[in-house]
Amino acid sequence: MNKIKNSPLYFLEYQPNVTYADGNPVEHKNLENRSVLSNELVVMVQDYNGEKVTFTSRTVNYQDKIFIAPLPNPVHILLNSGIENYNQSVTKLGLLRNDCQLDNNANGIHILNIGIDNTNNNFNDLVKFKMMSVISLVTSLEAFLNQIISNDFMYEQTRNGKTKKLNKKKIESPQVTFKEKLTLVINQLLDNPDFSKENEGIIERITELYDLRREVIHLKTYSENEMGLYFKSIGKLLDIELENIIISIRKYMNLIKPKFVE
């Protein structure tokens, strides 16, 4: 699956007259010969087309060198992480066929080789990459839902027949669940009470992913015997079809914010 296009968190075409909030002009300084910089900067440079652009950034110091670049949108970074880990899991699936100690072609069962640590590295990596993909994908959705809600938005939450208004800070608190933000909050944000119903299939796939992420994060261990530890959670992880869910996530984001994912 192809990765998406990353975007900077803040990126503007260059404006000749830049002022601070109090109206005072910004002094343009040449940073080429400076060895000491603030960690937080507003930088004006040339982009890949040679056009002057403005971006916010934070410096990175490594081995007595300072590196500066636009801050990326974490939603895109996390979504790409989910896609990359999914792609890695598909690659590992392709390696399993040639890593078997026993093949039973009649019923399609293949027993994988067991290494000196009593596990199979390719199978381990398959679990790892799918686990990391699920975690990254849900985290990208959580970040997206928080990001698109403006600071002045008020959500009318109705529970037990009582309605109260919640500001953005409260929407981002445990008072509002992920599934509630995914549906009811977005319905109100878009001023479309039928949005969730119209996109029920997409939301069901995202909800399935969220439920699995919760199991993977907590990995509860109650079981009648050791063989049952994590068995259901890891089984769901191995069975889940991530490609269609990734497609659903991209559609969902673009329905709310057109061309957000390219």
Side-chain angles (χ1 to χ4, degrees):
M1 174 172 282
N2 293 331
K3 291 170 58 178
I4 68 166
K5 180 181 177 182
N6 286 314
S7 70
L9 197 57
Y10 174 82
F11 201 65
L12 289 177
E13 292 183 1
Y14 175 74
Q15 297 179 11
N17 299 314
V18 181
T19 61
Y20 293 108
D22 60 7
N24 291 322
V26 174
E27 182 181 353
H28 297 249
K29 296 181 179 180
N30 189 334
L31 301 180
E32 290 181 5
N33 300 316
R34 297 190 64 184
S35 59
V36 179
L37 296 173
S38 168
N39 282 338
E40 299 179 10
L41 298 172
V42 176
V43 184
M44 283 169 278
V45 296
Q46 290 184 344
D47 66 8
Y48 66 96
N49 285 323
E51 300 292 331
K52 290 184 177 180
V53 294
T54 304
F55 64 81
T56 54
S57 185
R58 189 190 182 284
T59 61
V60 175
N61 300 319
Y62 179 67
Q63 295 183 344
D64 298 324
K65 299 183 186 299
I66 300 172
F67 302 92
I68 306 171
L71 287 176
N73 191 325
V75 177
H76 290 153
I77 294 294
L78 288 163
L79 185 51
N80 266 329
S81 174
I83 294 171
E84 289 168 2
N85 278 288
Y86 163 71
N87 288 339
Q88 292 276 22
S89 73
V90 173
T91 299
K92 289 298 175 181
L93 275 173
L95 297 176
L96 296 182
R97 183 63 183 83
N98 296 318
D99 191 15
C100 299
Q101 60 175 286
L102 177 65
D103 292 325
N104 190 329
N105 292 318
N107 58 19
I109 296 175
H110 310 279
I111 300 176
L112 294 168
N113 291 311
I114 305 301
I116 58 174
D117 61 354
N118 291 323
T119 65
N120 178 275
N121 286 334
N122 285 320
F123 190 80
N124 294 350
D125 285 343
L126 172 62
V127 174
K128 176 182 70 178
F129 289 130
K130 292 201 77 171
M131 187 178 291
M132 292 302 101
S133 180
V134 168
I135 292 171
S136 294
L137 291 172
V138 174
T139 308
S140 75
L141 273 163
E142 290 177 323
F144 173 76
L145 291 171
N146 289 335
Q147 191 177 112
I148 61 172
I149 297 172
S150 61
N151 290 339
D152 60 355
F153 176 74
M154 299 295 292
Y155 166 56
E156 292 188 4
Q157 183 186 66
T158 302
R159 287 184 180 174
N160 300 320
K162 296 181 180 179
T163 300
K164 58 182 178 180
K165 291 187 176 182
L166 304 179
N167 60 21
K168 180 165 183 174
K169 286 186 178 180
K170 291 181 179 179
I171 294 171
E172 293 183 345
S173 76
Q175 292 186 55
V176 181
T177 67
F178 171 82
K179 294 178 183 179
E180 190 176 355
K181 278 192 277 190
L182 193 70
T183 55
L184 301 179
V185 173
I186 294 302
N187 287 353
Q188 290 186 23
L189 183 70
L190 299 178
D191 195 21
N192 180 3
D194 296 324
F195 173 81
S196 298
K197 186 176 181 180
E198 291 168 352
N199 298 285
E200 188 174 6
I202 290 174
I203 290 172
E204 283 181 356
R205 284 189 283 273
I206 292 174
T207 300
E208 177 190 4
L209 182 75
Y210 177 79
D211 290 340
L212 177 58
R213 196 284 296 261
R214 186 172 56 188
E215 287 193 40
V216 167
I217 287 291
H218 296 293
L219 286 175
K220 295 180 180 179
T221 59
Y222 176 78
S223 173
E224 294 181 359
N225 55 62
E226 289 188 2
M227 290 186 67
L229 292 178
Y230 314 127
F231 195 85
K232 289 184 178 179
S233 297
I234 299 301
K236 290 178 183 178
L237 182 69
L238 292 170
D239 290 341
I240 194 167
E241 296 289 342
L242 286 178
E243 183 169 356
N244 287 334
I245 291 176
I246 293 171
I247 292 171
S248 294
I249 291 171
R250 295 174 66 165
K251 286 181 179 178
Y252 179 85
M253 290 180 175
N254 283 335
L255 282 169
I256 296 169
K257 192 172 182 179
K259 297 184 180 179
F260 179 77
V261 179
E262 297 183 54

